[in-house]
Amino acid sequence: MKKYHFFTPEYMIYLLLLHLCCMAIGYFLSYIDKVNMVNNGYVNSNSISFTTQKPLFPIVVDQDNYLLYQSHPESPNLKHVVLSGNVLLPPIHYSEKYDVFSTNKKVAIIGEDVSKTNVPNDYQVIGIFAYSNSYKLNHDIWLISNVNHMNTKNGGFFTFSSPEKDVDKILKKNVTISSIQEINLDDYGTYSVSSNKTVIFSLKIGLIFLTVIFIFVGSNWVIKDQSIFRVLYLSGKDIFSVFFTVLQYKLAPYIFLTAVFVTLDYLFNKYFHVFWSDLWLISIRYLLIGCILYLIGFSLIIIIYSTQRKGGNRF
């Protein structure tokens, strides 16, 4: 059987375009999460805010990726900040080349509307937040220092953020404290960590719609060759020989190009690190891998169904 009987580029192009649309939605969702986070003073809907009665407690730094803010309720814009691991910071204009993750000095990053005179004398201002649309960041003072414990003399209100999926697990692993009282950020001050709900919901519906279209187009791509599967079977090939023939000549180009998309997406986000979290992008990668597995499994089912029908004699 010649391979051009299987290879129909128009169907494969449709499927790859659907994949590109899914990836675009994943990037847009990640971008919206980033914008929401910056607008809320670099806090998102997965952040955990809490208070504690314990005056001094240790923390683990540089094992996991997270940000920990500490502030007084009456002066929430003055934050003591702990940076752990490799997290994406908001846009910053640095006064000089500086690595805030490796410094042993006490340094500060301030908003555009903050006077340097409001910064404690033992901290050096190294940068200004470069995002004029964020009221909170424009009025924030981040005091960054390399510490392995938290003292509630610097404030009893804490906010923990991590780009990882299970933020609560990362919190319990790195903040060794027995009891905390969690606070709903939407009920505290002017936070709106669940903004753009309509846009996010619409994009999720769009993602489901694209998945349904993929299943419809992909299934038709396989079903249209049922007669060829049966001819191959009647000509002497067993079921698995027919399946591997379909896999080689029909699905292999699609699988290869989808794998290229997934690999390029992974490498881009690994080395350029443009979003706070890549959870949406990871979900899209799993979705594309799931699409590959669906077509492989569906092809095998259709081959078995086509070849086991009554009628015809094998040679």
Side-chain angles (χ1 to χ4, degrees), residues 121-172:
N121 294 330
D122 54 339
Y123 282 83
Q124 175 190 354
V125 177
I126 62 168
I128 298 175
F129 293 116
Y131 193 82
S132 58
N133 291 330
S134 176
Y135 175 85
K136 289 185 176 296
L137 285 182
N138 285 341
H139 292 80
D140 265 0
I141 299 175
W142 283 17
L143 303 179
I144 302 170
S145 55
N146 191 5
V147 297
N148 58 8
H149 66 277
M150 304 300 288
N151 192 330
T152 52
K153 289 182 180 179
N154 296 322
F157 181 78
F158 300 88
T159 301
F160 185 92
S161 303
S162 174
E164 308 302 330
K165 182 177 182 180
D166 193 343
V167 180
D168 185 63
K169 179 181 178 180
I170 302 297
L171 170 63
K172 292 177 180 177

Side-chain angles (χ1 to χ4, degrees), residues 29 39 79 133-134 159 164 168 199 208 214 221 226 275:
L29 284 167
N39 288 339
K79 297 182 174 73
N133 291 330
S134 176
T159 301
E164 308 302 330
D168 185 63
V199 176
I208 295 173
F214 171 87
W221 187 33
Q226 282 188 90
F275 300 118

Side-chain angles (χ1 to χ4, degrees), residues 32-99:
I32 290 175
D33 282 347
K34 178 181 176 180
V35 170
N36 285 345
M37 190 169 183
V38 173
N39 288 339
N40 283 285
Y42 229 53
V43 172
N44 64 15
S45 58
N46 293 325
S47 299
I48 298 174
S49 290
F50 62 92
T51 60
T52 178
Q53 299 299 320
K54 196 169 183 179
L56 188 69
F57 58 91
I59 58 174
V60 179
V61 182
D62 290 335
Q63 285 191 8
D64 293 292
N65 302 321
Y66 70 82
L67 286 176
L68 177 61
Y69 305 139
Q70 179 185 17
S71 62
H72 287 282
E74 61 271 15
S75 55
N77 296 116
L78 180 64
K79 297 182 174 73
H80 290 265
V81 181
V82 176
L83 305 176
S84 176
N86 181 27
V87 293
L88 181 71
L89 296 178
I92 299 170
H93 286 315
Y94 290 99
S95 55
E96 57 183 87
K97 191 174 181 180
Y98 220 98
D99 185 0

Side-chain angles (χ1 to χ4, degrees), residues 12-25:
M12 189 180 70
I13 291 173
Y14 295 151
L15 297 180
L16 294 176
L17 286 175
L18 289 171
H19 287 345
L20 287 175
C21 290
C22 289
M23 293 175 71
I25 289 178

Side-chain angles (χ1 to χ4, degrees), residues 189-227:
T190 56
Y191 285 101
S192 181
V193 293
S194 300
S195 55
N196 293 319
K197 283 185 177 180
T198 303
V199 176
I200 294 173
F201 179 76
S202 299
L203 290 172
K204 289 179 180 179
I205 294 297
L207 201 56
I208 295 173
F209 181 67
L210 290 173
T211 304
V212 171
I213 294 177
F214 171 87
I215 293 173
F216 176 77
V217 175
S219 299
N220 277 277
W221 187 33
V222 174
I223 290 172
K224 78 180 188 66
D225 289 327
Q226 282 188 90
S227 57

Side-chain angles (χ1 to χ4, degrees), residues 280-313:
W280 276 116
L281 303 180
I282 291 174
S283 298
I284 297 299
R285 291 173 206 150
Y286 283 138
L287 175 62
L288 300 191
I289 294 172
C291 289
I292 292 175
L293 296 177
Y294 169 78
L295 280 185
I296 292 174
F298 187 73
S299 296
L300 180 59
I301 292 171
I302 293 300
I303 289 169
I304 293 173
Y305 171 78
S306 303
T307 55
Q308 298 304 304
R309 288 184 302 176
K310 294 182 179 180
N313 296 311

